[in-house]
């Protein structure tokens, strides 16, 4: 039975646009899912491959395609998965050990070693191979997951069963995947594996070849290993030499296991001759990948072309970098003054924002003395334009002076000669009323009560105290 599954399960291997076009066998899906948990973690992986007589020469060659498929679930590099390959019949043979020595370790060399493995065809001494894998895993990094992938028909010779050895390995934290091939003894395979999801019985080699080819074609690399041997990339162009651009190098993909010309950081293109071009101003590329240069965050740019680091993205005037974006510089929050309002009401306070002040009726912007001395005296101070405004600068300061509104005042009223006044307040703000009285023997002429109006003038007329005395 088969079913459609999202090959997005194959971590970072293929694009989402083709996820629904790959058919993965129901029996294979949990096995791959279990593998992919370790796709980008530090791992020490030992392939233990049965080359006994019961396997057969043709099956041994077909198994190599499955090793390719499994190996591509990991990113083979010194940073992520360090790999070793052991085959066994009468005795174990170590074909490659990048766990002990990582120099030159990459997926391309691993797959080449696997393809070149010869076949012996003899007894099945599986426990000796598991012991050899244990000895190799001792050399692993302390933080690495220790993984064995055993590929066997499960027909171990008497006295050479791997079950006891596998139990001890699992007790030591080693993760064991078991793949059964040929006329498999499933009882031994099941006993060795960490869990049922770590078991796969390989029957259809043509299907594995097809799936492996498809996934390889759709692989998106996560990292590259540099190779100084440029000849590995010399089959990519017609003249078969210097196929990589002068701003590219030959690398091995840590997932695909293919050699490719990859443009240097700061350049984009396919990597072939004359195809690598500098990242445009305002973009950068910091990694060895096939993707286009990445655009700097909004309100930022690079000083020139060919930038290879996000750090080259500098924010425009008035903005400052906050993590991975440019945020506007902030000024102090403006609050409406007593007797006034800000326009807009919820005036913002970041770079470039402009706030205006409008005083309420009976209040003058800044000073009523200045307001009443203006030429256009017919317009009340709080209705005049343009309104005072302030703008937030790149320095984090506002232009202009602090806003304030002064309450409208009337001219000072002196008390009349031979009289007095009683005013509600001494500052003569609008709304203030003054009551006048004259001394005995004097009569009040004019207004006895005067009130300061909103326009800064007094009601009534001037108050005078005139004597009522008569001389004979």
């Amino acid at each position: 039975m088969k079913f459609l599954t999202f090959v997005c399960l194959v971590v970072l291997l293929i694009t989402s646009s083709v996820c629904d076009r790959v058919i993965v066998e129901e029996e294979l899906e949990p096995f791959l899912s279990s593998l992919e948990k370790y796709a980008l973690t530090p791992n020490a992986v030992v392939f233990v491959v049965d080359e006994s007589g019961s396997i057969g020469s043709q099956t041994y060659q077909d198994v190599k395609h499955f090793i390719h498929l499994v190996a591509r679930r990991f990113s083979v590099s010194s940073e992520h998965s360090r790999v070793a390959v052991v085959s066994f019949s009468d005795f174990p043979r170590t074909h490659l050990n990048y766990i002990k020595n990582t120099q030159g370790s990459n997926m391309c060399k691993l797959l080449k070693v696997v393809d070149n493995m010869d076949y012996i065809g003899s007894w099945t001494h599986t426990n000796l191979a598991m012991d050899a894998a244990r000895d190799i895993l001792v050399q692993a990094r302390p933080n690495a997951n220790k993984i064995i992938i055993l590929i066997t028909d499960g027909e171990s010779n008497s006295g050479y069963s791997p079950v006891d050895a596998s139990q001890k390995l699992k007790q030591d934290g080693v993760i064991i995947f078991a793949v059964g091939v040929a006329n498999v003894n499933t009882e031994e395979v099941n006993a060795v594996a960490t869990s049922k999801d770590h078991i796969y019985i390989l029957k259809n080699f043509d299907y594995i070849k097809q799936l492996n080819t498809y996934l390889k074609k759709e692989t998106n690399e996560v990292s590259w290993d540099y190779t100084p041997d440029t000849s590995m990339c010399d089959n990519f162009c017609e003249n078969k030499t210097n196929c990589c651009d002068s701003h590219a190098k030959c690398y091995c993909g840590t997932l695909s296991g293919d050699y490719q010309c990859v443009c240097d950081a700061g350049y984009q293109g396919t990597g072939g001759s004359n195809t690598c071009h500098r990242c445009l101003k305002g973009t950068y590329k910091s990694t060895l990948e096939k993707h286009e240069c990445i655009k700097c965050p909004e309100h930022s740019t690079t000083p020139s072309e060919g930038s290879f680091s996000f750090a080259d993205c500098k924010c425009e005037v008035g903005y400052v970098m906050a993590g991975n974006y440019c945020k506007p510089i902030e000024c102090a929050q403006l609050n409406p003054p007593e007797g006034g309002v800000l326009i807009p009401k919820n005036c913002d306070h970041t770079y470039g924002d402009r706030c205006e002040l409008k005083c309420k009726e009976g209040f003058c912007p800044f000073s009523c003395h200045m307001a009443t001395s203006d030429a256009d005296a017919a317009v009340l101070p709080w209705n005049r334009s343009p309104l005072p405004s302030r703008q937030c600068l790149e320095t984090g300061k506002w232009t202009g002076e602090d806003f304030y509104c002064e309450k409208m005042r009337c001219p000072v009223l002196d008390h009349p000669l031979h009289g007095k006044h009683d005013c509600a307040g001494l500052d003569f703000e609008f709304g203030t009323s003054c009551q006048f009285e004259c001394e005995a023997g004097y009569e009040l002429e004019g207004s006895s009560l005067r009130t300061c109006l909103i326009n800064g003038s007094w009601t009534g007329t001037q108050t005078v105290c005139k004597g009522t005395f008569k001389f004979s």
Side-chain angles (χ1 to χ4, degrees), residues 229-276:
D229 185 2
T230 57
S231 66
M232 302 308 296
C233 288
D234 279 349
N235 61 335
F236 300 146
C237 59
E238 192 172 332
N239 60 7
K240 303 298 181 183
T241 183
N242 296 325
C243 294
C244 295
D245 189 270
S246 59
H247 295 290
K249 293 180 179 65
C250 187
Y251 289 88
C252 171
T254 61
L255 284 174
S256 69
D258 284 340
Y259 288 102
Q260 297 186 44
C261 295
V262 183
C263 294
D264 295 336
Y267 291 81
Q268 63 182 3
T270 61
S273 181
N274 299 317
T275 65
C276 292

Side-chain angles (χ1 to χ4, degrees), residues 160-175:
Y160 293 97
S161 169
V163 174
D164 289 343
S166 65
Q167 292 300 325
K168 292 178 182 178
L169 285 164
K170 287 184 283 188
Q171 290 172 5
D172 291 337
V174 177
I175 303 150

Side-chain angles (χ1 to χ4, degrees), residues 262-437:
V262 183
C263 294
D264 295 336
Y267 291 81
Q268 63 182 3
T270 61
S273 181
N274 299 317
T275 65
C276 292
H277 305 286
R278 286 177 178 270
C279 292
L280 297 176
K281 187 175 181 181
T283 66
Y284 69 96
K285 195 185 82 166
S286 57
T287 56
L288 296 166
E289 294 187 31
K290 293 283 189 178
H291 65 66
E292 299 294 305
C293 298
I294 300 171
K295 190 175 181 180
C296 287
E298 187 178 5
H299 300 299
S300 71
T301 188
T302 57
S304 60
E305 295 181 344
S307 292
F308 55 85
S309 172
F310 175 79
D312 292 336
C313 296
K314 303 300 181 184
C315 295
E316 299 169 355
V317 172
Y319 292 82
V320 63
M321 192 65 74
N324 60 354
Y325 73 99
C326 291
K327 71 172 186 178
I329 289 173
E330 294 186 353
C331 294
Q333 179 71 58
L334 292 179
N335 296 311
E338 183 180 359
V341 294
L342 293 176
I343 301 175
K345 183 177 180 181
N346 297 319
C347 182
D348 211 341
H349 58 106
T350 58
Y351 171 70
D353 289 327
R354 184 181 294 274
C355 301
E356 295 182 323
L357 168 73
K358 181 175 176 60
C359 292
K360 298 176 182 178
E361 280 195 0
F363 291 82
C364 309
F366 300 112
S367 169
C368 287
H369 172 73
M370 292 189 296
T372 53
S373 65
D374 290 344
D376 190 5
V379 181
L380 295 172
W382 46 90
N383 289 330
R384 292 176 190 170
S385 60
L387 297 174
S389 67
R390 303 184 77 182
Q391 187 171 11
C392 181
L393 299 177
E394 68 274 11
T395 59
K397 304 292 183 182
W398 291 97
T399 58
E401 56 184 310
D402 289 343
F403 287 145
Y404 65 93
C405 293
E406 184 179 62
K407 199 170 185 180
M408 179 62 80
R409 302 173 191 274
C410 289
V412 175
L413 283 180
D414 294 327
H415 58 79
L417 185 65
H418 302 297
K420 63 179 182 179
H421 60 54
D422 182 15
C423 299
L426 302 177
D427 50 10
F428 303 110
E429 295 176 346
F430 82 87
T432 299
S433 294
C434 293
Q435 186 75 43
F436 292 87
E437 294 181 1

Side-chain angles (χ1 to χ4, degrees), residues 25 51 53-54 60 204 240 329 336:
E25 287 181 340
E51 58 171 338
S54 55
Y60 188 70
N204 189 340
K240 303 298 181 183
I329 289 173

Side-chain angles (χ1 to χ4, degrees), residues 87-331:
S87 66
F88 68 93
S89 56
D90 290 359
F91 53 87
R93 295 190 296 158
T94 301
H95 298 267
L96 174 148
N97 184 359
Y98 286 145
I99 296 174
K100 179 179 181 181
N101 182 5
T102 62
Q103 186 173 1
S105 167
N106 62 47
M107 179 71 84
C108 297
K109 292 182 179 178
L110 166 64
L111 299 184
K112 186 176 181 179
V113 167
V114 170
D115 289 340
N116 292 333
M117 286 166 54
D118 59 335
Y119 173 67
I120 291 181
S122 187
W123 301 103
T124 311
H125 295 171
T126 315
N127 67 329
L128 299 182
M130 297 297 278
D131 289 342
R134 179 199 60 209
D135 293 341
I136 291 173
L137 289 174
V138 170
Q139 305 159 1
R141 293 164 289 176
N143 65 330
N145 300 304
K146 297 179 177 63
I147 301 171
I148 292 176
I149 300 172
L150 173 63
I151 304 175
T152 180
D153 62 4
E155 296 289 349
S156 298
N157 293 125
S158 177
Y160 293 97
S161 169
V163 174
D164 289 343
S166 65
Q167 292 300 325
K168 292 178 182 178
L169 285 164
K170 287 184 283 188
Q171 290 172 5
D172 291 337
V174 177
I175 303 150
I176 302 179
F177 291 84
V179 180
V181 296
N183 298 315
V184 61
N185 173 11
T186 56
E187 183 178 348
E188 181 175 292
V189 171
N190 293 338
V192 168
T194 293
S195 77
K196 62 182 180 61
D197 290 338
H198 293 66
I199 300 169
Y200 178 61
I201 305 304
L202 178 54
K203 301 174 183 177
N204 189 340
F205 289 105
D206 288 337
Y207 163 71
I208 292 299
K209 291 178 185 178
Q210 180 185 8
L211 180 61
N212 189 43
T213 300
Y214 184 84
L215 293 182
K216 178 182 176 182
K217 181 180 67 175
E218 298 298 335
T219 294
N220 283 335
E221 288 297 348
V222 294
S223 61
W224 303 86
D225 282 327
Y226 170 66
T227 175
D229 185 2
T230 57
S231 66
M232 302 308 296
C233 288
D234 279 349
N235 61 335
F236 300 146
C237 59
E238 192 172 332
N239 60 7
K240 303 298 181 183
T241 183
N242 296 325
C243 294
C244 295
D245 189 270
S246 59
H247 295 290
K249 293 180 179 65
C250 187
Y251 289 88
C252 171
T254 61
L255 284 174
S256 69
D258 284 340
Y259 288 102
Q260 297 186 44
C261 295
V262 183
C263 294
D264 295 336
Y267 291 81
Q268 63 182 3
T270 61
S273 181
N274 299 317
T275 65
C276 292
H277 305 286
R278 286 177 178 270
C279 292
L280 297 176
K281 187 175 181 181
T283 66
Y284 69 96
K285 195 185 82 166
S286 57
T287 56
L288 296 166
E289 294 187 31
K290 293 283 189 178
H291 65 66
E292 299 294 305
C293 298
I294 300 171
K295 190 175 181 180
C296 287
E298 187 178 5
H299 300 299
S300 71
T301 188
T302 57
S304 60
E305 295 181 344
S307 292
F308 55 85
S309 172
F310 175 79
D312 292 336
C313 296
K314 303 300 181 184
C315 295
E316 299 169 355
V317 172
Y319 292 82
V320 63
M321 192 65 74
N324 60 354
Y325 73 99
C326 291
K327 71 172 186 178
I329 289 173
E330 294 186 353
C331 294

